[in-house]
Amino acid sequence: MLVAIIMHAILQEYVLDKLNRKKHFSKTKHSKFNESGQLSAFYLFSFGWGASVLLSENFLYNPVTLWEDYPHTLMPFQMKFYYICQLGYWLHALPELYFQKTKKEDIPRQLVYISLYLAHIAGAYILNLNRLGLVLLVLHYFVELVFHVSRLVYFSNENRQSGFTIWAVLFVLGRLLTLSLSVLTIGFGLATAENQGFDLAAGNFNILFVRITVLAAICLTQAFMMWKFINFQLRRWREHNQAQTLKKKPVPAKSKSKKDKANGVNGVHSHGADSPRQRKEKSS
């Protein structure tokens, strides 16, 4: 946790603050740019590290290992250290709300997703579902990495929005894969395993109540994320339509000022009326 605070400060001081001074962002964009910059670095690091653990343990090539030989009380050093670092990072995010002088209206939103991360990571660690938890974390971090990188690109050039389209597709696929793997592992794999029962000393939590609670927590979280995703897409769609409407709306022609009108009237009179000398010449 302390190391995460130090790394957070170094990244903020030597990278993000320099970019902010060059781009001259508004206050709103400034806070969002800092958030995406910090999370992009963390998600990239966590995704790479987690993927290397999955490949070294062959969890991707053999999905049966996600529930086989449960409870998984013994973990490789890399996996155990990965979980400890994840918990440390999300715990460090709590004091960072004070250090970063986060706006009051943004604090509830950040507290919600920090709490969700801590609950799910700690739950997978305590219930010995560390293999499933690792796969779901790597999948989720990859999708979030695409989103925050797309937002950084958007802040540098607002015409570049194709990254959000790619993220939207990956987000939906990520939710489907998360639900599928969770149901496959908990609903079918652990439900049909021979080692059924509750044994706290052995770390075995393979009972119906725990399985239903875990699946319900995962499903509710995915539903909450989809609800936030749909609201985000609707807001972007409305903003895009408003921008298109303003572009198509014709600009009204400027009306002439009173001075211009008066000059125009005087010009007509001066050109249309003859002088007394001209009238005399015409009559002669």
Side-chain angles (χ1 to χ4, degrees):
M1 179 179 173
L2 295 176
V3 170
I5 292 176
I6 295 171
M7 296 303 296
H8 188 118
I10 292 173
L11 181 62
Q12 184 69 41
E13 179 70 22
Y14 294 101
V15 179
L16 297 178
D17 285 347
K18 289 183 178 180
L19 291 174
N20 274 316
R21 285 192 290 268
K22 287 182 179 179
K23 295 294 183 179
H24 303 290
F25 290 129
S26 61
K27 289 184 178 180
T28 304
K29 283 188 176 182
H30 179 86
S31 61
K32 290 183 178 180
F33 181 84
N34 288 339
E35 180 185 10
S36 291
Q38 293 284 352
L39 289 176
S40 294
F42 169 72
Y43 288 142
L44 179 61
F45 174 75
S46 297
F47 169 73
W49 186 8
S52 68
V53 176
L54 290 177
L55 293 174
S56 63
E57 298 297 325
N58 293 323
F59 293 154
L60 295 178
Y61 302 112
N62 189 12
V64 179
T65 56
L66 295 179
W67 63 83
E68 193 176 39
D69 299 328
Y70 179 85
H72 307 136
T73 53
L74 297 177
M75 287 186 285
F77 170 77
Q78 287 290 335
M79 184 185 291
K80 189 177 184 69
F81 190 47
Y82 183 84
Y83 269 95
I84 293 172
C85 290
Q86 294 298 313
L87 291 171
Y89 179 86
W90 291 111
L91 284 172
H92 113 279
L94 295 173
E96 282 295 340
L97 295 176
Y98 172 76
F99 295 146
Q100 294 293 318
K101 298 179 180 179
T102 307
K103 295 181 181 179
K104 289 183 179 180
E105 56 269 20
D106 291 338
I107 290 178
R109 174 182 64 85
Q110 297 202 22
L111 284 176
V112 167
Y113 79 72
I114 291 171
S115 301
L116 286 174
Y117 274 114
L118 287 172
H120 285 75
I121 295 171
Y125 186 82
I126 293 170
L127 297 176
N128 293 316
L129 295 170
N130 39 70
R131 297 179 182 179
L132 175 64
L134 180 61
V135 173
L136 297 184
L137 268 180
V138 171
L139 175 63
H140 177 73
Y141 283 165
F142 175 70
V143 177
E144 291 299 297
L145 173 63
V146 173
F147 170 75
H148 287 286
V149 170
S150 300
R151 193 156 74 162
L152 291 175
V153 173
Y154 171 75
F155 286 150
S156 63
N157 187 350
E158 294 188 355
N159 294 323
R160 298 178 180 176
Q161 300 188 27
S162 58
F164 290 115
T165 304
I166 299 173
W167 165 74
V169 176
L170 291 175
F171 184 89
V172 176
L173 292 176
R175 306 286 71 77
L176 293 175
L177 281 173
T178 298
L179 290 173
S180 300
L181 288 173
S182 301
V183 172
L184 178 65
T185 302
I186 300 171
F188 293 97
L190 292 180
T192 57
E194 296 180 359
N195 192 11
Q196 301 277 340
F198 181 82
D199 188 349
L200 189 60
N204 186 6
F205 301 94
N206 191 10
I207 58 175
L208 180 62
F209 175 75
V210 174
R211 292 197 302 268
I212 291 176
T213 302
V214 172
L215 275 179
I218 294 174
C219 291
L220 286 174
T221 303
Q222 302 309 304
F224 172 73
M225 293 175 67
M226 279 300 301
W227 178 69
K228 299 286 287 184
F229 170 78
I230 292 171
N231 286 335
F232 174 77
Q233 293 297 329
L234 288 175
R235 185 171 66 251
R236 286 188 66 234
W237 179 70
R238 284 194 297 266
E239 291 174 354
H240 177 73
N241 284 345
Q242 289 175 358
Q244 292 297 323
T245 303
L246 291 175
K247 287 181 180 179
K248 292 179 180 179
K249 190 175 181 180
V251 180
K254 294 183 179 180
S255 59
K256 293 183 177 180
S257 61
K258 292 182 179 180
K259 186 176 180 180
D260 293 337
K261 290 181 180 179
N263 291 336
V265 172
N266 292 336
V268 170
H269 284 301
S270 61
H271 289 290
D274 294 334
S275 63
R277 183 176 179 181
Q278 288 175 334
R279 287 198 298 267
K280 185 177 180 180
E281 290 176 353
K282 285 182 181 180
S283 61
S284 62

